Amino acid sequence: MNQADRRHEKRAGDRAGYRAGGSRAGAVALLLAGAMALTACGAGSGSDGTPDLSSGSRKGQSSTGGGQPAPDAVAPETGRSAAPEGDAESGASAAPEVKAPDYLSTFALDVDTASYGYARRTLGDGRLPAAEDVRPEEFVNSFRQGYERPEGNGFSVNVDGARIGSGEGGDGGTGASDWSLLRVGLATKTAPPASERPPAALTFVVDISGSMSETGRLDLVRKSLTILADELRDDDSLSLVTFSNEAETRLPMTRVKGNRNRIKDVVAEMEPAQSTNVEAGITRGYEESVEGHREGATNRVVLLSDALANTGDTEAEGILKKIDSARREYGITLFGVGVGSDYGDAFMEQLTNKGDGNTTYVGDETQARKVFVDQLPAHLEIRARDAKAQVAFDRKNVQQFRLIGYENRKVADEDFRNDGVDGGEVGPGHTVTALYAVRLREGASGTVAKATVRWLDPKTRKAEEETGTVTTGAVDTTLWGGENDRLQVAAVAAYFADRLRGGDLPGAPGLGELASRASGLAESTEDSAVEKLATAIGQADRLQRGAGVDDEPEPSEGEIG
């Protein structure tokens, strides 16, 4: 089985379903009556990895986090009958014990945007992205949300929502009017001026394999690093490792002051070589980062690659084990920058998720400037380590809920406050958005959900928490045509991703309507990123209808904050 097949199989197995609530007594009664209904899209327990606290491996979703829907909360038209167990003739009844429905949703925070950037590149090239490479949370997190920022170094928690209603043109989905969209928004304090951040010690690990010879790969990496050499401060440090079939240190850790031209010369000398041994590159990169480690500085490895590993260990888990002690002991984080029209998106995401970092995608020089001038220098510092979110839904008011995306970022509910279980790393000025499709009970009134974010202070490792609550009154407004443009942008991005991967979100408009809504929102927000979203949706619509694409590819936006 090749890497793409494994990614597809894993994603298919990780798909989350709807959750529903109801009473245990009602469930048992239905079982005895022989007509227990189960929703056709209920979530199973699943597992994202083997528990290994010493290496920070994330525990998977446990049985308490599976959230099988209770029978009395399932609409007959969406359920299916299950025959009761036991011997009817003997009068024996062996009805299984029915667990109380789970009203918790727990996941590690994620600030990645690469999935959206790569999807836009793929669409611009006239192809639909593979469903397994589409992660809705990265589409949503690519856009500004306008959240209030905290005064201190923690998080602000913003929770709101709106009624979905039916889409125009009869494409709003079955029962859409019964559903609401809930937005949980987390934000850190805006990044300080570049002069106030701690110094950085950056080790760049650059893929110079043969596949990087394609236009838009190694040539773009050279431009990116040349740009960055002028943006870093005099007291920052930089080292450079390249890899093809083997890894080589081109530049040991060197202070930027007085060495900018030397750095640029070393960058200019990089040329494509042979195969892609990501294992060798990352291992050497972490060795260099440890060798050049600076106390009080932000120590980070930056991987620039098309992530098409074909030599050495080609599995993310195996590679990360080799650098685990350096990662944990020295606090070195991994930032991935993807390039190329054929890109190992899932592989790069696995490396950075478990390497305490994040990933983005660079499509051309404009986007390279955005990442290496506007974002990377400002967001080098880590504000929160192992950050997780847990949303507790009020079972009195909520009948069903569904987290949109985050399938491979799930954390077992009982591990929310287990600080040995891996979470996500978040820097200054970042925002994280989680969207839920929520079905309220008839006559619901009061609390809908309480959202809590927990993280470790990067310096003291002390755990901190912040919470936010949303009530039914806050989700009574209509989503489309309302005043909250940013919530609508998030909805369009999520529905777009869901359409690309063949999903079935309630109330999801067709691509044509989504493109129209995105165009309108681009005008009202005066946001070029939303305009590019409208273009991408239009391209996808034409490709799905078989009309083709005649637009030139544009750079992915990858907005932060």
Side-chain angles (χ1 to χ4, degrees):
M1 182 181 294
N2 61 34
Q3 190 178 22
D5 291 336
R6 286 194 296 270
R7 292 200 305 266
H8 181 73
E9 181 179 73
K10 181 179 184 300
R11 267 185 204 285
D14 284 348
R15 294 287 184 195
Y18 291 96
R19 301 181 178 184
S23 69
R24 177 175 174 176
V28 174
L30 284 173
L31 281 167
L32 293 174
M36 183 177 77
L38 295 175
T39 183
C41 45
S45 57
S47 176
D48 288 330
T50 302
D52 183 358
L53 302 186
S54 65
S55 64
S57 296
R58 181 174 299 105
K59 285 187 177 180
Q61 186 81 358
S62 72
S63 59
T64 62
Q68 284 289 355
D72 63 350
V74 180
E77 66 272 16
T78 64
R80 62 178 185 266
S81 297
E85 296 185 11
D87 187 342
E89 292 184 2
S90 66
S93 177
E97 181 180 353
V98 180
K99 293 183 178 180
D102 175 25
Y103 277 77
L104 293 175
S105 173
T106 310
F107 58 93
L109 301 197
D110 188 358
V111 297
D112 292 353
T113 60
S115 177
Y116 174 66
Y118 183 48
R120 289 195 55 226
R121 168 65 185 266
T122 304
L123 289 166
D125 286 345
R127 297 177 288 120
L128 288 167
E132 63 267 25
D133 290 335
V134 175
R135 295 183 292 278
E137 68 274 19
E138 297 187 24
F139 279 54
V140 174
N141 285 330
S142 294
F143 299 92
R144 295 186 178 92
Q145 296 296 320
Y147 301 137
E148 290 186 8
R149 301 280 182 176
E151 294 183 2
N153 288 329
F155 286 88
S156 64
V157 181
N158 308 262
V159 193
D160 61 3
R163 292 276 184 177
I164 294 175
S166 297
E168 297 173 359
D171 200 14
T174 303
S177 59
D178 297 333
W179 291 81
S180 296
L181 195 68
L182 189 73
R183 178 176 63 165
V184 177
L186 310 172
T188 56
K189 187 178 179 180
T190 304
S195 59
E196 297 179 13
R197 66 165 172 80
L202 306 176
T203 299
F204 289 91
V205 178
V206 180
D207 184 349
I208 59 167
S209 62
S211 62
M212 292 291 287
S213 62
E214 175 192 293
T215 301
R217 298 194 187 195
L218 186 57
D219 61 320
L220 188 57
V221 170
R222 283 194 293 258
K223 291 177 182 177
S224 300
L225 293 182
T226 300
I227 291 169
L228 187 65
D230 290 324
E231 295 299 321
L232 293 175
R233 294 193 326 224
D234 285 349
D235 61 342
D236 291 330
S237 301
L238 182 151
S239 63
L240 180 65
V241 170
T242 59
F243 68 92
S244 55
N245 57 322
E246 295 180 349
E248 177 185 356
T249 300
R250 299 291 188 99
L251 183 71
M253 194 62 73
T254 302
R255 289 292 177 102
V256 172
K257 184 178 181 180
N259 290 299
R260 295 183 196 276
N261 289 336
R262 179 188 174 193
I263 293 170
K264 292 178 183 179
D265 288 342
V266 173
V267 168
E269 291 170 358
M270 296 188 300
E271 293 293 339
Q274 301 175 40
S275 54
T276 310
N277 192 337
V278 176
E279 174 196 1
I282 290 181
T283 302
R284 176 65 69 87
Y286 268 81
E287 291 172 353
E288 288 295 328
S289 187
V290 169
E291 181 70 23
H293 185 268
R294 292 175 58 184
E295 290 292 336
T298 299
N299 295 271
R300 177 169 291 190
V301 172
V302 182
L303 173 64
L304 300 102
S305 174
D306 58 16
L308 301 176
N310 55 24
T311 304
D313 196 335
T314 60
E315 297 296 329
E317 196 70 34
I319 294 172
L320 290 166
K321 284 181 180 178
K322 293 178 174 61
I323 51 91
D324 182 65
S325 60
R327 180 173 62 86
R328 289 186 292 110
E329 182 178 351
Y330 292 92
I332 300 168
T333 56
L334 178 63
F335 177 50
V337 181
V339 296
S341 58
D342 188 14
Y343 165 55
D345 171 71
F347 178 60
M348 180 74 89
E349 191 220 10
Q350 291 164 14
L351 283 172
T352 56
N353 279 355
K354 296 181 180 180
D356 297 334
N358 59 290
T359 183
T360 190
Y361 179 86
V362 171
D364 67 3
E365 188 172 351
T366 301
Q367 178 61 8
R369 287 188 173 276
K370 188 169 191 66
V371 170
F372 288 95
V373 175
D374 299 339
Q375 296 177 356
L376 182 59
H379 300 279
L380 282 170
E381 187 182 4
I382 298 296
R383 285 281 173 83
R385 283 191 178 273
D386 290 324
K388 310 182 192 84
Q390 185 169 83
V391 182
F393 290 89
D394 191 317
R395 67 184 64 232
K396 298 189 302 295
N397 291 317
V398 175
Q399 180 171 329
Q400 288 176 283
F401 68 92
R402 177 181 179 182
L403 174 60
I404 303 173
Y406 290 95
E407 286 90 355
N408 61 353
R409 300 294 279 165
K410 287 183 179 178
V411 174
D413 296 334
E414 65 268 26
D415 285 334
F416 177 60
R417 291 186 172 89
N418 182 348
D419 297 325
V421 173
D422 198 20
E425 277 57 48
V426 183
H430 278 117
T431 63
V432 179
T433 300
L435 294 178
Y436 289 86
V438 177
R439 192 178 192 182
L440 298 180
R441 297 186 186 278
E442 185 175 354
S445 178
T447 301
V448 175
K450 178 182 178 181
T452 304
V453 58
R454 180 181 178 89
W455 71 97
L456 302 182
D457 182 278
K459 296 179 181 178
T460 67
R461 297 285 174 160
K462 178 184 176 182
E464 301 182 40
E465 292 187 4
E466 192 64 54
T467 63
T469 303
V470 65
T471 64
T472 51
V475 298
D476 276 344
T477 58
T478 301
L479 173 62
W480 304 120
E483 296 182 357
N484 196 332
D485 288 344
R486 289 298 171 181
L487 176 59
Q488 293 180 60
V489 170
V492 168
Y495 286 138
F496 177 36
D498 192 63
R499 286 288 184 184
L500 287 176
R501 63 179 190 170
D504 57 353
L505 282 175
L511 289 175
E513 182 183 336
L514 283 175
S516 177
R517 291 197 182 281
S519 295
L521 289 166
E523 292 183 11
S524 61
T525 60
E526 298 182 346
D527 189 340
S528 62
V530 182
E531 183 178 352
K532 293 167 186 173
L533 173 63
T535 299
I537 298 172
Q539 291 170 336
D541 186 31
R542 290 191 292 276
L543 285 168
Q544 285 197 349
R545 289 186 288 105
V549 176
D550 54 9
D551 297 293
E552 289 296 321
E554 297 181 66
S556 58
E557 194 66 17
E559 298 287 357
I560 294 181

PDB file of all heavy atoms in Angstrom, residues 443-458:
ATOM      1  N   GLY A 443     -37.794  24.181  21.505  1.00  0.00           N
ATOM      2  CA  GLY A 443     -38.004  24.980  22.706  1.00  0.00           C
ATOM      3  C   GLY A 443     -36.754  25.227  23.517  1.00  0.00           C
ATOM      4  O   GLY A 443     -36.839  25.656  24.680  1.00  0.00           O
ATOM      5  N   ALA A 444     -35.587  24.972  22.936  1.00  0.00           N
ATOM      6  CA  ALA A 444     -34.330  25.165  23.673  1.00  0.00           C
ATOM      7  C   ALA A 444     -34.192  26.602  24.156  1.00  0.00           C
ATOM      8  O   ALA A 444     -34.516  27.552  23.442  1.00  0.00           O
ATOM      9  CB  ALA A 444     -33.150  24.798  22.776  1.00  0.00           C
ATOM     10  N   SER A 445     -33.693  26.751  25.374  1.00  0.00           N
ATOM     11  CA  SER A 445     -33.490  28.082  25.946  1.00  0.00           C
ATOM     12  C   SER A 445     -32.402  27.992  27.006  1.00  0.00           C
ATOM     13  O   SER A 445     -32.424  27.106  27.859  1.00  0.00           O
ATOM     14  CB  SER A 445     -34.785  28.614  26.560  1.00  0.00           C
ATOM     15  OG  SER A 445     -34.583  29.878  27.157  1.00  0.00           O
ATOM     16  N   GLY A 446     -31.448  28.913  26.923  1.00  0.00           N
ATOM     17  CA  GLY A 446     -30.368  28.913  27.907  1.00  0.00           C
ATOM     18  C   GLY A 446     -29.032  28.575  27.272  1.00  0.00           C
ATOM     19  O   GLY A 446     -28.777  28.868  26.095  1.00  0.00           O
ATOM     20  N   THR A 447     -28.184  27.917  28.023  1.00  0.00           N
ATOM     21  CA  THR A 447     -26.817  27.624  27.585  1.00  0.00           C
ATOM     22  C   THR A 447     -26.794  26.590  26.461  1.00  0.00           C
ATOM     23  O   THR A 447     -27.479  25.566  26.531  1.00  0.00           O
ATOM     24  CB  THR A 447     -25.975  27.106  28.763  1.00  0.00           C
ATOM     25  OG1 THR A 447     -25.949  28.093  29.798  1.00  0.00           O
ATOM     26  CG2 THR A 447     -24.552  26.803  28.322  1.00  0.00           C
ATOM     27  N   VAL A 448     -26.026  26.884  25.430  1.00  0.00           N
ATOM     28  CA  VAL A 448     -25.795  25.923  24.349  1.00  0.00           C
ATOM     29  C   VAL A 448     -24.499  25.161  24.582  1.00  0.00           C
ATOM     30  O   VAL A 448     -24.457  23.933  24.485  1.00  0.00           O
ATOM     31  CB  VAL A 448     -25.748  26.628  22.975  1.00  0.00           C
ATOM     32  CG1 VAL A 448     -25.377  25.644  21.873  1.00  0.00           C
ATOM     33  CG2 VAL A 448     -27.075  27.299  22.668  1.00  0.00           C
ATOM     34  N   ALA A 449     -23.430  25.875  24.881  1.00  0.00           N
ATOM     35  CA  ALA A 449     -22.133  25.224  25.057  1.00  0.00           C
ATOM     36  C   ALA A 449     -21.193  26.099  25.884  1.00  0.00           C
ATOM     37  O   ALA A 449     -21.329  27.326  25.917  1.00  0.00           O
ATOM     38  CB  ALA A 449     -21.502  24.922  23.705  1.00  0.00           C
ATOM     39  N   LYS A 450     -20.256  25.439  26.517  1.00  0.00           N
ATOM     40  CA  LYS A 450     -19.171  26.110  27.236  1.00  0.00           C
ATOM     41  C   LYS A 450     -17.856  25.635  26.638  1.00  0.00           C
ATOM     42  O   LYS A 450     -17.596  24.430  26.572  1.00  0.00           O
ATOM     43  CB  LYS A 450     -19.214  25.780  28.730  1.00  0.00           C
ATOM     44  CG  LYS A 450     -18.086  26.401  29.541  1.00  0.00           C
ATOM     45  CD  LYS A 450     -18.183  25.990  31.007  1.00  0.00           C
ATOM     46  CE  LYS A 450     -17.037  26.567  31.824  1.00  0.00           C
ATOM     47  NZ  LYS A 450     -17.118  26.145  33.246  1.00  0.00           N
ATOM     48  N   ALA A 451     -17.037  26.560  26.173  1.00  0.00           N
ATOM     49  CA  ALA A 451     -15.753  26.221  25.549  1.00  0.00           C
ATOM     50  C   ALA A 451     -14.610  26.578  26.495  1.00  0.00           C
ATOM     51  O   ALA A 451     -14.576  27.679  27.051  1.00  0.00           O
ATOM     52  CB  ALA A 451     -15.592  26.983  24.233  1.00  0.00           C
ATOM     53  N   THR A 452     -13.689  25.637  26.662  1.00  0.00           N
ATOM     54  CA  THR A 452     -12.531  25.846  27.532  1.00  0.00           C
ATOM     55  C   THR A 452     -11.263  25.558  26.752  1.00  0.00           C
ATOM     56  O   THR A 452     -11.181  24.543  26.051  1.00  0.00           O
ATOM     57  CB  THR A 452     -12.590  24.926  28.767  1.00  0.00           C
ATOM     58  OG1 THR A 452     -13.823  25.133  29.470  1.00  0.00           O
ATOM     59  CG2 THR A 452     -11.431  25.210  29.709  1.00  0.00           C
ATOM     60  N   VAL A 453     -10.287  26.429  26.859  1.00  0.00           N
ATOM     61  CA  VAL A 453      -8.980  26.192  26.254  1.00  0.00           C
ATOM     62  C   VAL A 453      -7.958  26.045  27.381  1.00  0.00           C
ATOM     63  O   VAL A 453      -7.995  26.774  28.372  1.00  0.00           O
ATOM     64  CB  VAL A 453      -8.586  27.334  25.283  1.00  0.00           C
ATOM     65  CG1 VAL A 453      -8.554  28.679  25.975  1.00  0.00           C
ATOM     66  CG2 VAL A 453      -7.233  27.040  24.626  1.00  0.00           C
ATOM     67  N   ARG A 454      -7.089  25.064  27.253  1.00  0.00           N
ATOM     68  CA  ARG A 454      -6.060  24.790  28.262  1.00  0.00           C
ATOM     69  C   ARG A 454      -4.710  24.738  27.561  1.00  0.00           C
ATOM     70  O   ARG A 454      -4.582  24.159  26.480  1.00  0.00           O
ATOM     71  CB  ARG A 454      -6.341  23.455  28.955  1.00  0.00           C
ATOM     72  CG  ARG A 454      -5.309  23.060  30.032  1.00  0.00           C
ATOM     73  CD  ARG A 454      -5.662  21.708  30.635  1.00  0.00           C
ATOM     74  NE  ARG A 454      -4.697  21.252  31.625  1.00  0.00           N
ATOM     75  CZ  ARG A 454      -4.743  21.525  32.912  1.00  0.00           C
ATOM     76  NH1 ARG A 454      -5.740  22.268  33.386  1.00  0.00           N
ATOM     77  NH2 ARG A 454      -3.832  21.052  33.747  1.00  0.00           N
ATOM     78  N   TRP A 455      -3.711  25.329  28.179  1.00  0.00           N
ATOM     79  CA  TRP A 455      -2.383  25.360  27.573  1.00  0.00           C
ATOM     80  C   TRP A 455      -1.315  25.430  28.647  1.00  0.00           C
ATOM     81  O   TRP A 455      -1.607  25.691  29.821  1.00  0.00           O
ATOM     82  CB  TRP A 455      -2.257  26.559  26.627  1.00  0.00           C
ATOM     83  CG  TRP A 455      -2.195  27.888  27.331  1.00  0.00           C
ATOM     84  CD1 TRP A 455      -1.079  28.612  27.656  1.00  0.00           C
ATOM     85  CD2 TRP A 455      -3.308  28.669  27.811  1.00  0.00           C
ATOM     86  NE1 TRP A 455      -1.420  29.774  28.300  1.00  0.00           N
ATOM     87  CE2 TRP A 455      -2.776  29.845  28.402  1.00  0.00           C
ATOM     88  CE3 TRP A 455      -4.694  28.500  27.798  1.00  0.00           C
ATOM     89  CZ2 TRP A 455      -3.594  30.831  28.976  1.00  0.00           C
ATOM     90  CZ3 TRP A 455      -5.502  29.468  28.372  1.00  0.00           C
ATOM     91  CH2 TRP A 455      -4.954  30.617  28.944  1.00  0.00           C
ATOM     92  N   LEU A 456      -0.086  25.183  28.253  1.00  0.00           N
ATOM     93  CA  LEU A 456       1.053  25.280  29.154  1.00  0.00           C
ATOM     94  C   LEU A 456       1.853  26.521  28.820  1.00  0.00           C
ATOM     95  O   LEU A 456       2.132  26.801  27.641  1.00  0.00           O
ATOM     96  CB  LEU A 456       1.954  24.048  29.033  1.00  0.00           C
ATOM     97  CG  LEU A 456       1.311  22.678  29.300  1.00  0.00           C
ATOM     98  CD1 LEU A 456       2.363  21.586  29.191  1.00  0.00           C
ATOM     99  CD2 LEU A 456       0.637  22.651  30.657  1.00  0.00           C
ATOM    100  N   ASP A 457       2.240  27.266  29.848  1.00  0.00           N
ATOM    101  CA  ASP A 457       3.119  28.414  29.639  1.00  0.00           C
ATOM    102  C   ASP A 457       4.454  27.895  29.109  1.00  0.00           C
ATOM    103  O   ASP A 457       5.044  26.975  29.681  1.00  0.00           O
ATOM    104  CB  ASP A 457       3.324  29.156  30.956  1.00  0.00           C
ATOM    105  CG  ASP A 457       4.196  30.384  30.792  1.00  0.00           C
ATOM    106  OD1 ASP A 457       5.444  30.227  30.783  1.00  0.00           O
ATOM    107  OD2 ASP A 457       3.649  31.492  30.665  1.00  0.00           O
ATOM    108  N   PRO A 458       4.942  28.449  27.999  1.00  0.00           N
ATOM    109  CA  PRO A 458       6.168  27.918  27.388  1.00  0.00           C
ATOM    110  C   PRO A 458       7.387  27.963  28.303  1.00  0.00           C
ATOM    111  O   PRO A 458       8.275  27.118  28.188  1.00  0.00           O
ATOM    112  CB  PRO A 458       6.375  28.825  26.160  1.00  0.00           C
ATOM    113  CG  PRO A 458       5.042  29.418  25.889  1.00  0.00           C
ATOM    114  CD  PRO A 458       4.375  29.556  27.219  1.00  0.00           C
TER     115      PRO A 458
END
